[in-house]
Structures are given as C-alpha cells and as structure tokens.
Amino acid sequence: MKYSIINIKTIEAEQCGRISFFEGLHDLPFEIKRIYYISGVPEGKMRGFHAHKTLQQLLFCPYGEIEIILDSGEDREHIILNRPDQGILLTSGLWREMLWKKSDSVLCVAASDFYDPEDYIRDYDRFLAFRKS
Ligand code: T46
C-alpha cells in the first residue's frame, strides 16, 4: 500500500491554540499546485470511490474526524484522521473512500497537480484492471 502518515509541523501557544504548517517540496515530495477542502458533510456520509492515475495528495483533517479507506486492489486499510498535526500522503493508484465520522469535519487536501477529470478512475473494475496493467 503506497501511503504514509506524516506529522505536520505544529507549534503550540500557551492557552492560545496551535499553528500547523507545511511547504511543498520541503515537507512534501511534490510541488503543491492545488488546495481544496470538503466541508458540510453529515455524519455517516461517504465520498470518494475513485482512484487517481498520477495525482499525489496530502489529506488532513484539522477539525473533526474522518475515516479514510484505502484500497490497493489487494488490501484495504482504514485510517482515522482526527488531528491537526497529522496527514496521509497518498501516491497515485489507490482507490479511496472517505467516511465522515463526525458532522462538519473538514477534509483538506494539498495536491500535486491541477484538476483534471481524466486523471480519475471512478469505476472499481477499471481500477483493478489499471492496477494489473
Ligand atoms: C480526492 C478526494 C480525497 C473540481 O471541479 N475541482 C477540484 O479541484 C475538485 C477536487 C473537484 N472538482 C469537482 C469535480 C466534481 O464535479 O467537484 C465535484 C466533486 O468532486 P468529487 O466527486 O471527485 O469529490 P470527492 O470528495 O469524491 O473526491 C475529492 C477529490 O475530487 C479527489 O481528487 O482524492 O476528494
């Protein structure tokens, strides 16, 4: 399975919260070309159900709790994102599903490329064929 959990640099201020930060190329293995975030999802709802042919991404959840289900075509792994100082670095070629464990959790993503609908594989059988090729 080609993913890693990374610690996002975080500085705590006494009784005044914390600040977390990362930089493309320095803290991630790619230049950041796009940022997007997903909000307003009710508890128990799922998104995703696709893979990317080339895109690499850092997923993190600065507020709430989201389960990320990763599928390599052979194994499935479940990872909980619920800390502002932690993220999942995803390489391409992994099927992902995201389950909102708490309403209003926010999923933030730093991506290695601009939006390209051609980079998506949204059919699971096509994904399995892509993995074998
Ligand atoms: C991913 C997971 C973690 C755009 O027009 N531009 C964008 O940059 C993005 C991300 C989406 N869109 C459009 C494409 C669809 O018409 O927004 C609509 C919803 O996208 P989608 O159904 O792909 O959303 P999710 O939550 O299933 O997946 C998203 C990302 O698309 C995907 O790359 O890895 O979050």
Side-chain angles (χ1 to χ4, degrees):
M1 190 77 77
K2 291 186 295 178
Y3 76 87
S4 49
I5 308 286
I6 68 159
N7 293 320
I8 299 172
K9 288 175 195 161
T10 295
I11 295 177
E12 299 272 349
E14 199 175 330
Q15 295 180 350
C16 201
R18 66 188 76 84
I19 181 167
S20 304
F21 45 87
F22 54 87
E23 299 177 353
L25 295 178
H26 294 163
D27 301 301
L28 304 181
F30 55 81
E31 184 184 348
I32 299 166
K33 290 202 179 151
R34 179 166 51 108
I35 301 277
Y36 63 89
Y37 43 91
I38 301 169
S39 55
V41 180
E43 184 178 321
K45 291 283 184 184
M46 298 189 76
R47 298 183 62 113
F49 301 95
H50 61 256
H52 281 285
K53 295 175 194 164
T54 62
L55 192 71
Q56 299 176 70
Q57 306 191 99
L58 177 72
L59 275 57
F60 57 104
C61 173
Y63 180 81
E65 185 167 313
I66 299 167
E67 185 175 333
I68 309 295
I69 298 129
L70 296 176
D71 186 330
S72 66
E74 293 175 346
D75 300 313
R76 274 171 88 83
E77 293 190 26
H78 298 243
I79 297 128
I80 293 287
L81 285 181
N82 59 4
R83 297 170 53 140
D85 62 350
Q86 216 165 56
I88 309 180
L89 197 50
L90 295 185
T91 55
S92 55
L94 288 177
W95 184 266
R96 81 275 327 262
E97 299 164 15
M98 300 93 78
L99 168 63
W100 262 252
K101 305 285 282 183
K102 291 182 184 167
S103 288
D104 290 334
S105 303
V106 179
L107 182 64
C108 299
V109 182
S112 63
D113 216 337
F114 303 119
Y115 175 66
D116 176 8
E118 296 299 315
D119 192 63
Y120 286 74
I121 305 170
R122 292 188 182 271
D123 177 85
Y124 190 72
D125 289 334
R126 275 193 54 222
F127 163 68
L128 292 179
F130 176 82
R131 288 292 306 203
K132 284 194 183 122
S133 67

